[in-house]
Amino acid sequence: MTQHSHDRLLIIDFGSQVTQLIARRLRELNVYCEIHPYQKVTDAFLAEFAPKAIIFSGGPDSVTREGSPRPPQSAYTMGVPILGICYGQQVMMQDLGGIVEAGQSHTAEFGRAYVKPTELKTDLFNGWFLDPNGREQVWMSHGDHVAKLAPGFDVYGTSSGAPFAMTADLERRFYAVQFHPEVHHTPNGATLYANFVKLAGFTGDWTMGAYREEMIQKIRDEVGDKKVICALSGGVDSSVTGILLHEAIGDQLTCVFVDHGMLRLNEAEQVVAMFRENYNLNLIHADESDLFLNALEGVSDPEVKRKTIGKLFIDVFQKYANEIEGAEFLAQGTLYPDVIESVSFSGGPSVTIKSHHNVGGLPEKMGLKLVEPLRELFKDEVRALGTELGLPASFIGRHPFPGPGLAIRCPGEITREKLDILRKADAIYIDQIRKHGLYDDIWQAFAAILPMRTVGVMGDGRTYDFALALRAVTSVDGMTADYYPFTHEFLGETSTRIINEVQGINRVFYDCTSKPPGTIELE
Ligand code: XMP
């Protein structure tokens, strides 16, 4: 059996929409866990994985259906604690001798529900039911229900539709709940996970310091004395990837920073200086702005812009990478949410693997092997690792910046003149946001130069200059967003500064559109 340096928890995925949230809750407790689809979890897999505890996720199937998903039976005989959630509870009951009944309308529950404790107590529910009402809000989503408990189990909590909402076999340390403790609508759910990992004996040894050391050793083992190239954008994921690799293999790494001429004011210089001065890593600053800007001349369609930039990026990266003799690996900042194998029930029990191609299929094209040191991390963990590696806070907290850069903040045709004006205006806008202490409250803020000129009057003269749009949004994941409610004072002050300090702009608009119906970028 393989020796693992962390206590490991295995989440067997039966296809719930929220399985990833279980992993989030556990990582927050410094517990290392992995999600694997049930098809992959065989007896041999379990023995190799050597979990200290197992969680059965929820899932859309019915255990009453023949051939429905099951965990391997050795899960029950390994002597480790198991927590079953929703479908996971039902599968556990059925496997261990209980009875599950298929959906009937009076026992189905969807959405908010309340559980009440029975007379019995278990440490799994420490910190629950402290509310004067003596009940806890939970989130339910089940059609089937447990009709008879498996031998050895007792009931610890009930809801109106689930007489067996909270169940446990304390001797075997098997716990099973009908609701979903991982979602926000179960407000005290995190406590339940904390209790579970505590009683399973986890010490919370999954720290960024430990991860850093472990990953450095892993990279060294994987890469040996070979060379690695990495496309650096200055964003958090690629920066952390570059720095971690540099720490592991030093000069064997070369980073390529492609400047496509549509970066923000002084951005290329800042990124290059930060990496060269603080980390002394091999960095090629590929200034290819002429190539990109010439190719974009006369292009005004947003999708053609994106495609032109994407294709040229690959060509350019390949050209520089070819100069690095003997490079065998390409490093990518792929994150855990991009690689989780999820159980798909749409076309039968198949496995969908989302793959992530930051550099558009380059590894296959160039015959390179991939190194992806962030594959096990969520975004906020990447930020924590960046901090651990000494990446300045200003880099870690940067707003997202799209690959095509200012090209999509310059609706219509791109010209060098417009880009110069936009850079100056954007820098003032961001400076204003920082000065007012608002930067970290905002998901993304930027200026866009509009494809129109308007009449103004400055001094005694008439002007006919560009109009500028300011955009700032709040968001959790960029999928939906709301505009940021700046004060009129802030907007007035910023507009005045931009018009006074940037030649070529005589009018400023603030974009009050949410997403949907708008998008965050203007193109
Ligand atoms: P939208 O405009 O679609 O943007 O609401 C959502 C998030 O994605 C970023 N974005 C891009 N990122 N290439 C990228 O790398 C693109 O073509 C692109 N378009 C939008 C956008 O900045 C926001 O964070």
Side-chain angles (χ1 to χ4, degrees):
M1 198 186 293
T2 315
Q3 281 299 310
H4 299 287
S5 50
H6 297 292
D7 290 339
R8 292 149 65 87
L9 189 148
L10 174 67
I11 299 168
I12 303 182
D13 182 18
F14 291 110
S16 159
Q17 300 290 317
V18 289
T19 302
Q20 272 204 47
L21 290 179
I22 304 176
R24 289 298 305 121
R25 299 285 91 83
L26 295 168
R27 295 277 182 96
E28 282 159 14
L29 296 164
N30 292 337
V31 167
Y32 182 82
C33 63
E34 287 182 24
I35 299 172
H36 290 279
Y38 72 91
Q39 298 100 319
K40 194 165 136 186
V41 183
T42 58
D43 291 324
F45 179 97
L46 263 186
E48 161 65 26
F49 193 94
K52 200 177 176 78
I54 302 173
I55 292 180
F56 296 167
S57 85
D61 212 326
S62 169
V63 298
T64 60
R65 188 183 69 77
E66 190 148 332
S68 54
R70 289 283 183 281
Q73 295 307 295
S74 63
Y76 301 112
T77 53
M78 295 180 89
V80 302
I82 304 177
L83 173 63
I85 293 163
C86 197
Y87 181 88
Q89 179 191 46
Q90 294 161 8
V91 94
M92 196 190 293
M93 288 307 146
Q94 179 121 331
D95 276 352
L96 299 176
I99 295 173
V100 175
E101 283 176 353
Q104 287 163 6
S105 56
H106 68 281
T107 54
E109 281 176 304
F110 295 96
R112 186 176 298 137
Y114 293 92
V115 285
K116 290 198 155 180
T118 61
E119 306 284 278
L120 300 173
K121 295 269 170 290
T122 152
D123 287 344
L124 187 69
F125 303 112
N126 280 346
W128 273 49
F129 307 118
L130 301 179
D131 184 277
N133 286 326
R135 61 180 199 176
E136 286 282 348
Q137 182 187 313
V138 297
W139 191 69
M140 294 277 193
S141 181
H142 67 103
D144 293 359
H145 71 281
V146 177
K148 179 171 170 277
L149 287 179
F153 280 81
D154 290 303
V155 182
Y156 292 82
T158 61
S159 73
S160 57
F164 303 125
M166 301 160 70
T167 61
D169 174 340
L170 298 189
E171 205 169 308
R172 288 186 284 183
R173 295 188 296 169
F174 293 166
Y175 305 87
V177 294
Q178 182 58 75
F179 52 87
H180 288 267
E182 61 277 15
V183 303
H184 283 295
H185 296 92
T186 302
N188 214 1
T191 311
L192 190 151
Y193 284 110
N195 292 338
F196 179 65
V197 297
K198 189 170 167 203
L199 60 84
F202 283 85
T203 55
D205 59 1
W206 168 250
T207 62
M208 272 308 139
Y211 183 80
R212 172 189 186 168
E213 295 311 318
E214 196 177 295
M215 203 34 68
I216 285 171
Q217 194 50 51
K218 213 166 152 185
I219 294 168
R220 287 182 184 148
D221 294 344
E222 199 175 336
V223 170
D225 58 0
K226 301 294 185 293
K227 287 189 179 157
V228 181
I229 49 176
C230 175
L232 202 64
S233 69
V236 179
D237 302 345
S238 73
S239 299
V240 172
T241 303
I243 294 167
L244 189 65
L245 268 135
H246 179 249
E247 198 162 306
I249 56 169
D251 278 350
Q252 286 163 250
L253 172 74
T254 303
C255 293
V256 181
F257 173 69
V258 178
D259 180 353
H260 54 29
M262 288 157 295
L263 299 170
R264 289 163 292 188
L265 193 69
N266 302 326
E267 184 165 19
E269 294 75 12
Q270 282 164 7
V271 170
V272 170
M274 205 281 287
F275 284 99
R276 290 221 171 109
E277 287 162 18
N278 295 324
Y279 296 98
N280 193 28
L281 51 70
N282 292 327
L283 177 61
I284 297 175
H285 177 184
D287 181 359
E288 295 284 353
S289 37
D290 283 339
L291 178 76
F292 282 86
L293 294 179
N294 291 342
L296 288 168
E297 225 169 283
V299 177
S300 54
D301 181 275
E303 277 317 296
V304 180
K305 281 183 187 175
R306 276 195 174 79
K307 289 210 172 90
T308 308
I309 295 168
K311 184 187 167 299
L312 278 181
F313 184 89
I314 291 178
D315 293 349
V316 166
F317 185 77
Q318 202 163 358
K319 180 178 90 178
Y320 286 90
N322 285 342
E323 287 170 12
I324 302 156
E325 223 171 286
E328 286 193 17
F329 290 89
L330 176 79
Q332 274 196 174
T334 313
L335 306 192
Y336 193 48
D338 302 317
V339 298
I340 292 178
E341 297 176 46
S342 53
V343 176
S344 155
F345 284 84
S346 47
S350 65
V351 176
T352 318
I353 303 171
K354 283 196 254 162
S355 62
H356 184 96
H357 293 292
N358 281 341
V359 277
L362 262 182
E364 298 84 359
K365 221 171 150 187
M366 297 175 65
L368 295 170
K369 285 177 261 180
L370 273 178
V371 197
E372 299 178 307
L374 311 184
R375 278 179 73 87
E376 291 171 5
L377 303 185
F378 287 92
K379 187 82 176 183
D380 53 339
E381 293 172 323
V382 173
R383 295 204 175 100
L385 180 59
T387 307
E388 175 73 31
L389 290 163
L391 198 66
S394 57
F395 260 78
I396 289 168
R398 266 156 55 122
H399 291 168
F401 186 64
L406 300 184
I408 56 174
R409 294 178 180 177
C410 194
E413 194 182 340
I414 300 163
T415 64
R416 286 176 166 79
E417 181 206 4
K418 277 165 127 183
L419 288 174
D420 278 343
I421 294 173
L422 176 57
R423 279 192 191 95
K424 288 179 195 150
D426 185 73
I428 293 169
Y429 179 41
I430 300 300
D431 181 55
Q432 282 285 104
I433 290 174
R434 286 198 188 277
K435 274 194 180 139
H436 284 258
L438 304 173
Y439 191 84
D440 294 337
D441 296 340
I442 294 170
W443 160 270
Q444 208 170 354
F446 57 88
I449 186 162
L450 299 177
M452 66 191 271
R453 288 180 189 259
T454 71
V455 173
V457 53
M458 286 171 94
D460 288 327
R462 175 186 186 275
T463 58
Y464 189 53
D465 286 336
F466 284 110
L468 190 82
L470 301 181
R471 183 102 169 108
V473 295
T474 53
S475 178
V476 182
D477 50 14
M479 304 298 286
T480 58
D482 202 357
Y483 75 92
Y484 188 77
F486 287 123
T487 61
H488 281 285
E489 289 71 26
F490 175 89
L491 289 171
E493 188 184 302
T494 306
S495 164
T496 305
R497 263 197 75 189
I498 290 173
I499 292 170
N500 284 349
E501 295 175 36
V502 184
Q503 210 177 357
I505 290 176
N506 66 355
R507 197 174 291 267
V508 174
F509 297 106
Y510 185 57
D511 184 345
C512 303
T513 322
S514 59
K515 173 182 178 176
T519 53
I520 294 177
E521 303 291 345
L522 266 67
E523 283 197 332

